[in-house]
Amino acid sequence: MISPRNMLLATLLAMPVTSYAADIQSTLDHAADAVESDVIRWRRDFHQHPELGNREHRTAGIVANHLKSLGIEVTTGIAHTGVVGILKGAKPGPVVALRADMDALPVKEMTGLPFASTAVAEYGGKQVPVMHACGHDAHTAMLMGAASVLAAQRSELSGTVMFIFQPAEESPPPGEEGGAELMLEQGLFDTVKPDAVFGLHVGAGTSGTVTYRSGPAHAASDTFHITLKGRQSHGSMPWFGVDPVTLSGQVVLGLQTIASRRVNLMESPAVISVGTIRGGVRHNIIPSEVTLEGTIRSFYDHQRAAIHADVKQVVEHHAEAVGATADIDIQKGYPALINDRALIARMLPTIKQVVGETGANEGPMVFGSDDFSYFANETPGLFLWLGTTPPGEDPMKSEHNHSPYFDIDEPALSNGVKLLSHLAFVFLAERN
Ligand SMILES: [Zn+2]
Ligand SMILES: [Zn+2]
């Protein structure tokens, strides 16, 4: 039996679009409103059943079934668990990609929500609790909603929409490959190359509003591992050894002078943080080695290369100054995410049509990274932040992404579905 709600939904989804202007706006908006309860239901289901990177089997299965039910051409198993849908419009035109990430984090959920996660999974050889603490449950649900909206407008679509449901954005488990980089390596854009790619991330911000950043938006994230090698000695007679512990203190301070004294802060900020220092086994033994690990965040390639060289120079010379040696290994992580300035300028009116003139604001650069950057390095990209702080809470003081208390204001998801749908439709319709 068809319920009145489903009849309404079917009617709204089937309404043809004749032009972008008023008709399409309201048609897409009504269709997004009609799937809102589905999107919330999907989000809660994913939230209750989170899966770590490269393990998103259940999530990917639900996504693939949904896309197939809409008549979208589906490929599964890309970069382990990735799902890609191709929706061909009735009219010729360019290709636009919409991306959502599907993975959760090894975090123990403390929200107390009725659909809170109690999931555990193996990670790095240990059993860990798992939680959608970054909101990727919402991203997946919103993109499924946008697929419903856009599939119903197939006859009016001028071109192709590629739906990318990506695994392992939070980086794959240790020793594995994954994420956006692996999807591209496996040929994601080889046969169908998008002319633009759009993505959303939920987080701190007034519920339903959009923050965008033209140009560099998210930082490149690199990791360093340093081993300082001295000579072991008795703690009471340090002159018989070479002390890597005091050296490690000098190295930490020396590294701080790179960001504060050598990076051109007029051009762009950068961050270097030491996260671990390990050395020694006993209070009265000066160890032979101390290791340090940390992260480097930067926004421009030339700045990134200069910082890497500076880290090597600072560490090696501090070590040399005390008669020690140093091994330095810098692993490149995600590249900086650069939003295409022309694409933002072109799409900003569409964004403002969805969230209102005051609902879209340019924000600062963010030192967190997102591997959407790999897609945006292949084709013009636009990554937006969707505010999901519940009303009445201060976005700056609310629980941020990766917190065990992280939660989102679900009514904001409707704007996310609208944004994805409008951006894809308008990009295709306004081809030149
Ligand atoms: Zn995250
Ligand atoms: Zn995230």
Side-chain angles (χ1 to χ4, degrees):
M1 199 179 105
I2 301 174
S3 69
R5 184 185 159 277
N6 282 347
M7 276 183 68
L8 173 67
L9 178 62
T11 310
L12 289 170
L13 289 177
M15 279 172 67
V17 172
T18 49
S19 67
Y20 179 64
D23 286 1
I24 174 61
Q25 287 171 42
S26 65
T27 302
L28 294 175
D29 286 348
H30 282 108
D33 289 339
V35 296
E36 182 179 3
S37 60
D38 288 335
V39 170
I40 290 172
R41 182 169 51 80
W42 292 326
R43 181 257 163 172
R44 292 183 180 189
D45 178 61
F46 294 139
H47 193 86
Q48 200 161 14
H49 301 96
E51 295 170 301
L52 293 173
N54 287 355
R55 309 285 186 272
E56 306 92 334
H57 301 288
R58 180 182 181 276
T59 309
I62 292 168
V63 167
N65 284 340
H66 176 65
L67 296 182
K68 284 177 194 163
S69 77
L70 299 169
I72 292 173
E73 197 181 300
V74 176
T75 307
T76 58
I78 302 177
H80 303 292
T81 54
V83 180
V84 175
I86 297 288
L87 172 66
K88 290 196 174 112
K91 303 173 191 173
V95 180
V96 66
L98 302 175
R99 174 271 207 172
D101 38 13
M102 302 189 290
D103 56 320
L105 285 159
V107 171
K108 182 168 175 50
E109 178 152 3
M110 307 286 277
T111 60
L113 290 166
F115 49 91
S117 164
T118 55
V120 290
E122 188 267 332
Y123 182 80
K126 285 189 272 191
Q127 287 295 112
V128 294
V130 184
M131 174 190 174
H132 266 298
C134 202
H136 299 186
D137 48 345
H139 303 168
T140 305
M142 287 190 290
L143 190 52
M144 286 170 67
S148 295
V149 172
L150 291 166
Q153 297 302 327
R154 188 186 322 244
S155 61
E156 301 301 322
L157 274 180
S158 308
T160 299
V161 185
M162 174 188 279
F163 298 93
I164 303 171
F165 290 89
Q166 184 208 304
E169 190 287 320
E170 302 283 3
S171 72
E176 296 181 27
E177 291 185 312
E181 187 179 25
L182 187 61
M183 290 188 98
L184 291 167
E185 276 174 24
Q186 293 186 356
L188 177 66
F189 288 174
D190 287 359
T191 44
V192 181
K193 174 94 186 261
D195 298 284
V197 57
F198 296 100
L200 289 178
H201 206 302
V202 297
T206 303
S207 186
T209 63
V210 164
T211 304
Y212 61 92
R213 176 82 195 174
S214 209
H218 279 264
S221 168
D222 303 324
T223 308
F224 60 81
H225 300 265
I226 296 167
T227 305
L228 303 173
K229 297 177 178 174
R231 192 167 63 249
Q232 190 164 317
S233 65
H234 198 293
S236 66
M237 294 175 284
W239 47 87
F240 287 124
V242 174
D243 183 0
V245 175
T246 50
L247 171 60
S248 69
Q250 293 170 324
V251 164
V252 170
L253 295 176
L255 290 172
Q256 293 317 301
T257 65
I258 296 172
S260 64
R261 306 287 86 178
R262 301 178 77 168
V263 168
N264 181 351
L265 298 174
M266 300 278 283
E267 181 182 56
S268 168
V271 166
I272 301 170
S273 293
V274 175
T276 72
I277 304 180
R278 294 193 178 93
V281 292
R282 192 178 148 83
H283 69 279
N284 62 353
I285 302 172
I286 293 171
S288 60
E289 283 189 5
V290 169
T291 61
L292 301 94
E293 296 169 313
T295 188
I296 301 167
R297 305 294 169 112
S298 58
F299 289 95
Y300 293 99
D301 284 347
H302 67 277
Q303 182 194 51
R304 188 183 195 187
I307 291 173
H308 289 193
D310 287 348
V311 166
K312 286 189 174 136
Q313 187 188 49
V314 163
V315 175
E316 282 170 359
H317 285 258
H318 273 82
E320 190 183 354
V322 299
T325 59
D327 290 340
I328 303 139
D329 177 37
I330 301 177
Q331 296 287 331
K332 278 191 166 182
Y334 298 160
L337 194 165
I338 315 293
N339 279 323
D340 189 87
R341 293 181 192 278
L343 187 62
I344 290 199
R346 181 176 162 189
M347 303 316 297
L348 196 54
T350 304
I351 295 168
K352 289 187 172 176
Q353 257 159 359
V354 174
V355 297
E357 194 65 33
T358 59
N361 297 289
E362 182 143 29
M365 293 188 282
V366 173
F367 276 106
S369 63
D370 193 293
D371 74 350
F372 182 86
S373 54
Y374 286 104
F375 299 132
N377 279 349
E378 295 294 317
T379 194
L382 176 46
F383 194 64
L384 302 170
W385 297 287
L386 176 66
T388 50
T389 303
E393 283 185 29
D394 179 349
M396 297 311 293
K397 293 180 183 162
S398 65
E399 296 291 338
H400 283 213
N401 306 63
H402 294 206
S403 158
Y405 297 96
F406 179 73
D407 190 19
I408 60 167
D409 186 48
E410 287 177 330
L413 301 185
S414 179
N415 269 6
V417 175
K418 288 173 186 169
L419 283 162
L420 292 166
S421 307
H422 281 249
L423 287 169
F425 193 96
V426 173
F427 181 85
L428 296 181
E430 292 186 350
R431 70 190 187 281
N432 294 312

